[in-house]
Amino acid sequence: MIQTPYLLFLGDAPDALSGKVAQGIKDWRPENCVGQIRMEGCKADIGLADLTLEEAKARGAKTLVIGVANRGGKISQAWKKVLVAALEEGFDLASGLHNLLRDEKDLVAVAEATGQVLHDVRVPEVEYPIATGEKRRGKRVLAVGTDCSVGKMYTALALDAAMRDMGQKSTFRATGQTGILITGDGVPLDAVVADFMAGSIEWLTPDNDPDHWDIIEGQGSLFHVSFSGVSLALVHGGQPDALILCHEPTRSHMRGLPGYKLPSIEAVRDLSLQLAQVANPACRVVGVSINTQHMGEEEATRYCAEVEARLGLPTVDPFRHGAARLAEALVAL
Amino acid sequence: MIQTPYLLFLGDAPDALSGKVAQGIKDWRPENCVGQIRMEGCKADIGLADLTLEEAKARGAKTLVIGVANRGGKISQAWKKVLVAALEEGFDLASGLHNLLRDEKDLVAVAEATGQVLHDVRVPEVEYPIATGEKRRGKRVLAVGTDCSVGKMYTALALDAAMRDMGQKSTFRATGQTGILITGDGVPLDAVVADFMAGSIEWLTPDNDPDHWDIIEGQGSLFHVSFSGVSLALVHGGQPDALILCHEPTRSHMRGLPGYKLPSIEAVRDLSLQLAQVANPACRVVGVSINTQHMGEEEATRYCAEVEARLGLPTVDPFRHGAARLAEALVAL
């Protein structure tokens, strides 16, 4: 568990897009952010107060989160000046980078000397159990996709927010690096050892109040041959009561797999439901989330209406339309 | 890759069953075994010559393989006397135990001093790639099961032997500890990190001659909620041209999951084929392998005939009937 609130480190971000992790944290958990810290030449600005380490500390920040993709996959010496100073100022560090904090000897040495913690959210820090398949109390919904990177995390975060707006008990359950940094907790599923994948998701979504919903971030796709095993571990470990289908309609092929066409939303509905009902026979598909970022307003509205008519399920783009209709479908279940 | 031939270590095995890894190696790769080595009180005997380390070395043995399950999950001091002596005699060591050789400081020190290798086949030693899904040359068949431990490894080994008896080009591809020790090579799939599961199977079954068959050992079951993700990675990473369905008819519930009934063979056929055709639209189900160890001869024969009539597929227990009919079905494809 990463201590909040955060100071968001944007470093020398070459453009706005490279700061998207910081942007995500600010969008979804503004209450966790006291400000941003940027180096000379930084081209990203997520619209928070620019603070020094001292100022952020005075405002209560506990962890400096690396909210920027690094250049060349390396934690640079220029970054390290700030990271070392942050440790010395009493901050923990958190990062989702491939280049692990723990692999940098100087950072490790300073962290030990100052008693601060280095969080590499890409690396599991828990010994997860083997899944038991036992029925758990409380409700769970899982976002499943026709492909990778179609908006499953966004959908789950928007659904969680909509549920809480409606006064429902709801917790977003992160299964990837960005989600873990946003909420401070979760399972980096793609880095979990095969035998423990489903068990890690059972661990993430334990017994809860009967009217509480875990909103589980999906990963990959059952139809994506590189990562389908990860997706199935979510379906069986998550034991969902409800599924939300996620789709991006303009893709010409599966992400990273030029020879593979996307499955239809119906194919994902049928396969996901069949597999989910192995672990929870009561599971239902409750709605569809469409990522219409590459469509105009009119085309997006028409496409959602068409899918809604075809599948008989509430269909929205949570970014354009909000996720209230998906939340209502959950509550109605 | 473990160097052959082997000297099989049976230690102080408390009963015959605890020597089943050694038995498997002897049954399937007798040409890899120069003999067995047993300690005082050993209750297992796989029928090979009892040799001293010196005798085995003189007969060409290169690796001492731990072919016995250890008591209490620990490599005992009594065992270590033999293991250290083996290293000093110039043997490598190979083990599939949870208690890793590399976690024993004395073994590591002696291995370094003598220049011998410690193989823990439970731990991946390769940096596997992410799966690409690209079509590979050569043919592949995968054993899929209604449950864990229904005889997928046995089926694959028997099929590989039958194929070679018929003069076909065939390679058994191990995906678990025992299979790796039997053949000296393979992927310990249950210990691979999630993102690389399918890629590890692509790596294991690369391009080959057009008329060569990889016989891939299956793991888990698509219907077993603890391990289904591992099974799906095999289906998508293996890109099989053919599937063999494996079943044990006397189970009252899924292994380790008291609340879960076994799926029908038909359900496994339909789901496996649908998923396999994502990676290889030409995939076909070619046969059924029944583990009839808990049935009498007559009951076993009747059951196989009944399944054969119901599914219209050659159905055998490879242990009782051999795997020739499954091999013929493969060749006919």
Short mmCIF file of all heavy atoms in Angstrom, two decimals, chain B residues 68 103 188 229 259 288 322:
data_model
loop_
_atom_site.label_atom_id
_atom_site.label_comp_id
_atom_site.label_asym_id
_atom_site.label_seq_id
_atom_site.Cartn_x
_atom_site.Cartn_y
_atom_site.Cartn_z
N VAL B 68 12.90 -38.55 -6.63
CA VAL B 68 12.10 -38.94 -5.48
C VAL B 68 11.52 -37.68 -4.83
O VAL B 68 12.14 -36.62 -4.84
CB VAL B 68 12.99 -39.72 -4.46
CG1 VAL B 68 14.21 -38.91 -4.07
CG2 VAL B 68 12.21 -40.16 -3.24
N ASP B 103 19.01 -22.85 -3.40
CA ASP B 103 18.81 -22.20 -2.09
C ASP B 103 19.63 -22.87 -1.00
O ASP B 103 19.58 -22.44 0.17
CB ASP B 103 17.33 -22.21 -1.72
CG ASP B 103 16.52 -21.25 -2.58
OD1 ASP B 103 17.14 -20.37 -3.21
OD2 ASP B 103 15.29 -21.38 -2.61
N PRO B 188 8.85 -24.80 -17.59
CA PRO B 188 8.07 -25.00 -16.36
C PRO B 188 6.96 -23.96 -16.28
O PRO B 188 7.06 -22.96 -15.57
CB PRO B 188 9.11 -24.80 -15.26
CG PRO B 188 10.12 -23.86 -15.85
CD PRO B 188 10.10 -24.06 -17.35
N GLY B 229 -5.99 -20.07 -16.63
CA GLY B 229 -5.19 -19.13 -17.41
C GLY B 229 -3.96 -19.79 -18.01
O GLY B 229 -3.54 -19.46 -19.13
N GLY B 259 -16.37 -27.85 -4.59
CA GLY B 259 -17.66 -27.33 -5.06
C GLY B 259 -17.84 -27.39 -6.56
O GLY B 259 -18.89 -26.98 -7.07
N VAL B 288 -9.68 -38.97 -28.18
CA VAL B 288 -9.97 -38.87 -26.75
C VAL B 288 -9.08 -39.88 -26.02
O VAL B 288 -8.94 -41.03 -26.46
CB VAL B 288 -11.44 -39.18 -26.45
CG1 VAL B 288 -11.75 -38.95 -24.97
CG2 VAL B 288 -12.37 -38.33 -27.33
N GLY B 322 -2.49 -48.58 -25.59
CA GLY B 322 -1.51 -47.91 -26.43
C GLY B 322 -2.12 -46.70 -27.11
O GLY B 322 -3.34 -46.49 -27.06
#
